Amino acid sequence: MKLNLIAFAVVGALSTTLLLSGCQTSNAPTQAAGMEAQNPLMQPSTLQYQAPDFSQIKDAHFERALEQGIEEHHVQVLAIADNKEPATFANTIVALETSGELLTRASKVFYNLTGSNSNPALRKLQGEMAPKMAAHSDNIHLNGKLFARIDSLYQSRNTLGLTAEEVRLIEIYHQRFVMAGAKLTEAQKAEIRLLNEEQSKLTNEFGQRLLRLTKEIAVVVDNVDELKGLSDSEIRAAKADAKAAGHEGKYLINITNTTRQPILAKLENRELRQRVWQASSNRGMSGDNETASLVARLAQLRAERAKLLGYDSWADYRLTPQMAKTPEAVYQMFGSMVPAVVANTQKEADDIQAMIDKTGGNFTLAPWDWAFYAEKVRKDKFDLDSAAIKPYFEFERVLKDGVFFTLERLYGVTLKPRPDLPVYHEDVKAYEMFDADGSSIAIFYADYFAREGKRGGAWMSSFVTQSKLLNQKPVVVNVMNIKKAPEGEPTFVSYDEVTTMFHEMGHGTHGMFSKVTYPSLSGTAVSRDFVEFPSTFEEDWAAHPEVLANYAKHYETGEVIPDELLQKLLKSRSFNQGFDTLEYMAAALVDLEWHSLSADAPLQDVAEFEAKALKKHGINIAAVPPRYKSTYFAHAFPGGYSASYYAYMWSEILAADAFAYVQTQGGLNREIGMKYRKTIREVGNSVPPMEAYKAFRGQAPTTEALLKRRGLN
């Protein structure tokens, strides 16, 4: 996922196998064959690579498929745990890898749709399933007999004549079980079950409230004159959105899931800018859908869970299996950058205040002013007019002549439309990926446009995970929230959205290029602070001159973006990097501070806690609030990035270092692209992350390229 967008589904709603999604204690009843035949989720899809048959799948199918999937998986796991034969890699690890077929299949479709094409029925079922899935997970990880088998294999793993991938799989299983509480006493296991159940309910409720808040806080505008600065197309879209929401004759501004709203760069009306910003910034603090109380309790119960597992804090617990290892390492990384970032940001703020004064503004820079006047400064500094650039970034051309073009040049792959494959929404497009030799690699779904029922942000997920063991090829989806133009008009994307398209395809190819044996090691099933490396690396190609010249063409004439305009765009890339870096760092440090609380800390006041955290780290600049405030921080609270939002910056160090290295090897060419594909993309988690990186780069990364990438050196 892109740095400033939702990432909590960057590796899918579930683990690559449903091993980590648990087990229920009831026995599996037999379902009538007739009912199974009517439910398309009960059997593997007959479509290519088991792509879901969305023409047959209905909302009503999920509950039974999920319930029976849990029951079947439970029976399978018990059989493995109760096996009287001594534990072997085949009868324990491989058996676990091949278990839970129905639950995996149904869950992957279900959780993808609850994020990308939700509705009240799916959200209701999601809430009902949350505690059941949590209990299922606990019943697996807290099964003493099962852990004893895994532990025996772990203790003798280097004497069993296994491959390196098999040894690594045992090590990962062992670590996951231990960190889930496999070594706890029975009393402690009972306690952790209660904490896990509460967390599952609260995280689900958090996500549900965020969805409702998105609709609730949309800003209704009565007079079109207030929308000065927007294009005619954008105004028509706002009018259509208002009509759809029941505000006939008015205009609607939807709020995205970040503090900063893209529309603030265009709106000339300062009062409206303030309304939009406050709607974004204050969400979740009060009202029926407040999330502040959920934030406070989630932080507390995670600390309690960490203490039970023997850790000082949730951050200590979470970072143990990551590349960073300790919260101190992360604090040190950010601390070393704060002086330069703050100085850069203050210089940007001074330039913006000067522009406000120059253009007759009689006020002090506020958060809702930054984007609007930053564009004026950008234009003044680089003579860059956003309106002049816009016609050169038409969505379809960016996708096909930018993203797809880069994949072909670097990795030798092509994507061809598959209109015969059913999709879950009319805006979704299906493609098949082919290798340079013509062999088929994967199915790819492109779901780029915003709509009701889709959560904010951008992410990649899988419907089918690559595995040689299961004879599965990947079926992957990229999801974004681009504002679609009115019917019959071209959709233009901002340069930020362009880089996000590249970024998400970086995640997508991480899944689609995977060539491992075991599903638990496949594709993006790597540590949080490594998973964003391939995606961030990919986004830098959006600015490569050869790539830009191929996709940045006028939507009407096909004229390549003039070199003078292109050079202005490239030079402006470092502009506003102080702001971009600081708002990210602020969110990452707030996340880490929440999850560094001890188990005996009282419930916190959210606003006070955030203010103290920002002041503590010297990043409390009023005009630059955190990219996400706690009450809508989907990564850290309902998502999978608790104590891990730092991972984007950690991964960016790798990405910047790798991209700089590639430029010394000829840049955009197949030879270096294939080396990167084989050493990083294909190995998934079958190789420790740093070993994989060194196999590609030849050495560990340094921060030099990162500072250059962000214009901070």
Side-chain angles (χ1 to χ4, degrees), residues 206 209-210 213 283-285 289-295 631-632:
F206 198 119
R209 291 187 188 183
L210 273 187
L213 276 170
R283 81 187 91 165
M285 289 301 296
N289 289 311
E290 64 83 17
T291 54
S293 62
L294 303 183
V295 169
T631 51
Y632 48 96

Side-chain angles (χ1 to χ4, degrees), residues 454-473:
K454 179 188 282 190
R455 73 169 183 265
W459 63 92
M460 164 269 183
S461 191
S462 298
F463 289 109
V464 180
T465 299
Q466 180 274 331
S467 167
K468 294 178 184 177
L469 175 70
L470 303 179
N471 195 29
Q472 291 179 176
K473 289 195 174 183

Side-chain angles (χ1 to χ4, degrees), residues 96-114:
L96 285 169
E97 288 289 278
T98 57
S99 68
E101 178 187 2
L102 172 57
L103 185 56
T104 300
R105 179 170 58 249
S107 295
K108 282 183 173 292
V109 178
F110 177 69
Y111 287 110
N112 271 294
L113 294 189
T114 57

Side-chain angles (χ1 to χ4, degrees), residues 496-512:
D496 185 65
E497 289 170 329
V498 170
T499 58
T500 301
M501 291 169 68
F502 277 81
H503 181 105
E504 294 309 326
M505 186 56 80
H507 285 305
T509 50
H510 200 178
M512 290 187 283

Side-chain angles (χ1 to χ4, degrees), residues 253-268:
I253 298 175
N254 289 306
I255 303 299
T256 61
N257 200 53
T258 53
T259 303
R260 179 182 11 168
Q261 299 298 305
I263 200 170
L264 294 180
K266 303 176 183 179
L267 287 174
E268 296 183 17

Side-chain angles (χ1 to χ4, degrees), residues 57-278:
I57 297 171
K58 310 299 180 187
D59 291 351
H61 293 138
F62 286 112
E63 183 172 11
R64 184 57 202 154
L66 292 169
E67 294 279 7
Q68 184 163 324
I70 289 175
E71 293 162 356
E72 289 183 3
H73 196 202
H74 168 67
V75 171
Q76 294 165 347
V77 170
L78 285 185
I80 297 167
D82 293 339
N83 191 339
K84 302 302 181 184
E85 297 294 324
T88 65
F89 184 79
N91 70 18
T92 302
I93 304 299
V94 173
L96 285 169
E97 288 289 278
T98 57
S99 68
E101 178 187 2
L102 172 57
L103 185 56
T104 300
R105 179 170 58 249
S107 295
K108 282 183 173 292
V109 178
F110 177 69
Y111 287 110
N112 271 294
L113 294 189
T114 57
S116 61
N117 203 40
S118 188
N119 58 52
L122 291 181
R123 290 193 287 272
K124 180 176 182 293
L125 180 58
Q126 187 179 13
E128 293 170 353
M129 291 305 303
K132 296 178 182 180
M133 294 295 260
H136 185 38
S137 177
D138 286 340
N139 287 337
I140 291 179
H141 290 98
L142 303 181
N143 185 310
K145 291 181 180 179
L146 182 59
F147 177 66
R149 298 179 70 84
I150 293 171
D151 189 52
S152 68
L153 293 171
Y154 175 77
Q155 300 302 331
S156 59
R157 64 192 183 282
N158 294 318
T159 64
L160 300 176
L162 301 174
T163 67
E165 183 178 352
E166 290 166 344
V167 170
R168 179 153 178 80
L169 183 58
I170 291 175
E171 292 172 344
I172 288 173
Y173 263 87
H174 189 268
Q175 182 182 61
R176 287 175 178 171
F177 271 70
V178 170
M179 294 193 70
K183 290 186 174 182
L184 298 178
T185 66
E186 290 305 312
Q188 290 172 324
K189 287 180 180 180
E191 187 176 348
I192 208 165
R193 283 178 185 272
L194 293 175
L195 293 173
N196 289 344
E197 181 181 4
E198 183 181 1
Q199 176 170 278
S200 73
K201 290 179 178 178
L202 292 182
T203 53
N204 179 71
E205 180 62 21
F206 198 119
Q208 302 278 7
R209 291 187 188 183
L210 273 187
L211 273 175
R212 294 194 292 269
L213 276 170
T214 299
K215 186 175 183 179
E216 179 182 295
I217 64 175
V219 176
V220 178
V221 180
D222 295 329
N223 192 329
V224 69
D225 293 340
E226 295 182 74
L227 298 178
K228 189 176 180 181
L230 302 188
S231 67
D232 290 342
S233 176
E234 289 167 330
I235 291 173
R236 286 194 298 273
K239 188 171 185 178
D241 287 346
K243 182 178 180 180
H247 303 288
E248 184 76 42
K250 298 184 179 182
Y251 305 86
L252 193 74
I253 298 175
N254 289 306
I255 303 299
T256 61
N257 200 53
T258 53
T259 303
R260 179 182 11 168
Q261 299 298 305
I263 200 170
L264 294 180
K266 303 176 183 179
L267 287 174
E268 296 183 17
N269 187 305
R270 190 171 190 244
E271 290 184 2
L272 182 55
R273 290 202 307 268
Q274 183 174 356
R275 282 181 62 200
V276 170
W277 186 85
Q278 288 179 335

Side-chain angles (χ1 to χ4, degrees), residues 384-690:
L384 185 64
D385 185 353
S386 297
I389 294 173
K390 179 179 176 180
Y392 295 96
F393 294 109
E394 190 273 323
F395 167 76
E396 289 289 344
R397 196 183 293 274
V398 172
L399 179 64
K400 296 172 183 176
D401 296 343
V403 178
F404 290 178
F405 167 78
T406 305
L407 296 183
E408 194 280 329
R409 289 295 306 276
L410 279 176
Y411 313 119
V413 299
T414 55
L415 287 105
K416 298 180 180 179
R418 286 292 305 273
D420 57 305
L421 289 176
V423 292
Y424 54 87
H425 188 275
E426 61 183 6
D427 284 343
V428 180
K429 306 299 181 186
Y431 296 85
E432 184 172 359
M433 178 180 279
F434 294 90
D435 217 334
D437 62 2
S439 60
S440 178
I441 299 175
I443 298 296
F444 171 71
Y445 293 97
D447 181 3
Y448 288 110
F449 299 119
R451 59 177 171 270
E452 187 174 351
K454 179 188 282 190
R455 73 169 183 265
W459 63 92
M460 164 269 183
S461 191
S462 298
F463 289 109
V464 180
T465 299
Q466 180 274 331
S467 167
K468 294 178 184 177
L469 175 70
L470 303 179
N471 195 29
Q472 291 179 176
K473 289 195 174 183
V475 180
V476 166
V477 61
N478 273 178
V479 186
M480 284 183 62
N481 274 276
I482 294 170
K483 181 70 173 178
K484 191 177 182 181
E487 188 68 30
E489 299 183 30
T491 294
F492 299 108
V493 290
S494 67
Y495 186 69
D496 185 65
E497 289 170 329
V498 170
T499 58
T500 301
M501 291 169 68
F502 277 81
H503 181 105
E504 294 309 326
M505 186 56 80
H507 285 305
T509 50
H510 200 178
M512 290 187 283
F513 289 162
S514 181
K515 286 188 176 181
V516 304
T517 300
Y518 302 100
S520 284
L521 302 177
S522 181
T524 57
V526 295
S527 66
R528 289 288 186 196
D529 49 12
F530 189 79
V531 74
E532 297 297 334
F533 155 43
S535 54
T536 306
F537 170 88
E538 201 70 23
E539 74 180 61
D540 276 2
W541 291 108
H544 189 279
E546 186 178 348
V547 177
L548 254 172
N550 197 64
Y551 73 82
K553 298 180 180 180
H554 197 281
Y555 78 104
E556 289 181 321
T557 67
E559 172 198 10
V560 176
I561 188 170
D563 186 63
E564 182 181 4
L565 189 58
L566 174 60
Q567 292 307 314
K568 290 178 182 178
L569 176 62
L570 293 175
K571 289 178 181 178
S572 72
R573 289 183 66 222
S574 62
F575 176 76
N576 217 37
Q577 280 297 306
F579 178 99
D580 289 344
T581 306
L582 187 62
E583 70 157 7
Y584 161 73
M585 289 173 59
L589 286 165
V590 166
D591 166 42
L592 207 59
E593 287 291 344
W594 272 118
H595 295 106
S596 294
L597 289 169
S598 62
D600 57 358
L603 287 171
Q604 303 292 309
D605 177 277
V606 171
E608 289 182 6
F609 184 87
E610 285 183 349
K612 289 179 180 178
L614 297 176
K615 184 176 181 180
K616 172 183 175 181
H617 294 283
I619 51 176
N620 52 329
I621 297 179
V624 190
R627 180 162 294 162
Y628 302 96
K629 291 191 176 182
S630 303
T631 51
Y632 48 96
F633 204 164
H635 296 76
F637 291 101
Y641 276 69
S642 58
S644 301
Y645 192 60
Y646 79 90
Y648 288 98
M649 184 70 77
W650 194 278
S651 294
E652 191 180 352
I653 293 172
L654 302 173
D657 186 73
F659 193 82
Y661 167 69
V662 166
Q663 305 320 303
T664 69
Q665 305 301 304
L668 189 69
N669 69 83
R670 186 74 52 81
E671 183 178 356
I672 191 63
M674 290 304 293
K675 180 182 180 183
Y676 176 73
R677 173 179 165 180
K678 291 182 181 299
T679 55
I680 302 295
R681 304 288 179 98
E682 294 183 359
V683 301
N685 200 20
S686 65
V687 177
M690 189 54 75

